[in-house]
Amino acid sequence: VQLVESGGGLVQAGGSLTLSCTVSGLSFADYNIGWFRQAPGKEREAILCRDNKYGRTYYADSMMKERVTISTDNAKNTVYLQIHSLKLEDTAVYYCAASFRDSAYYYSMESFLKAIVYWGKGTPVTVSS
């Protein structure tokens, strides 16, 4: 199994960015994908995840909710994270993770976090003024 992030780089504040997480070796029918970030000197934090079973998105950070979008291209086995209105504090390494999805109807960000199995190596994003 591999999760490979790409799309990071140097961007100006106020701009937008699309990050990609290309997945191999697992099925989106069995695993959900989520995005995380780790800013310099800080702990890794969750951003959001997508429950493919019922098509719902769960946000870990309400402050980012208005600025991020997750989408999936099944044909390319790729999950995207779009970030709008970038801020200096968005500077971080961005990671995707795969979490096993069981058959339970109830799901949440906590459900995702508890069942993470695979991580990508991250893609760095630097926001400049």
Side-chain angles (χ1 to χ4, degrees):
V1 175
Q2 275 194 318
L3 283 71
V4 180
E5 302 92 338
S6 61
L10 179 64
V11 293
Q12 282 196 320
S16 299
L17 189 68
T18 298
L19 304 177
S20 303
C21 174
T22 301
V23 178
S24 60
L26 58 79
S27 170
F28 288 153
D30 300 318
Y31 290 85
N32 289 330
I33 302 297
W35 283 93
F36 296 73
R37 69 180 183 179
Q38 186 168 16
K42 295 187 177 181
E43 293 187 354
R44 189 176 303 187
E45 61 179 1
I47 300 172
L48 53 68
C49 69
R50 178 74 173 173
D51 180 16
N52 297 320
K53 190 175 184 69
Y54 293 105
R56 296 174 183 153
T57 299
Y58 297 88
Y59 299 89
D61 185 343
S62 60
M63 293 180 67
M64 286 196 76
K65 183 177 181 178
E66 301 301 321
R67 300 193 294 118
V68 293
T69 304
I70 188 170
S71 60
T72 302
D73 186 333
N74 290 314
K76 295 183 178 180
N77 292 328
T78 299
V79 178
Y80 301 96
L81 177 70
Q82 291 181 296
I83 312 173
H84 308 284
S85 302
L86 283 158
K87 304 176 181 181
L88 297 179
E89 51 264 40
D90 292 324
T91 294
V93 179
Y94 285 74
Y95 301 87
C96 59
S99 175
F100 179 71
R101 180 58 162 104
D102 62 19
S103 60
Y105 175 77
Y106 176 78
Y107 200 73
S108 66
M109 173 58 75
E110 186 176 359
S111 304
F112 180 91
L113 295 174
K114 286 182 177 180
I116 290 175
V117 182
Y118 305 105
W119 287 92
K121 294 183 179 181
T123 183
V125 173
T126 302
V127 183
S128 64
S129 59

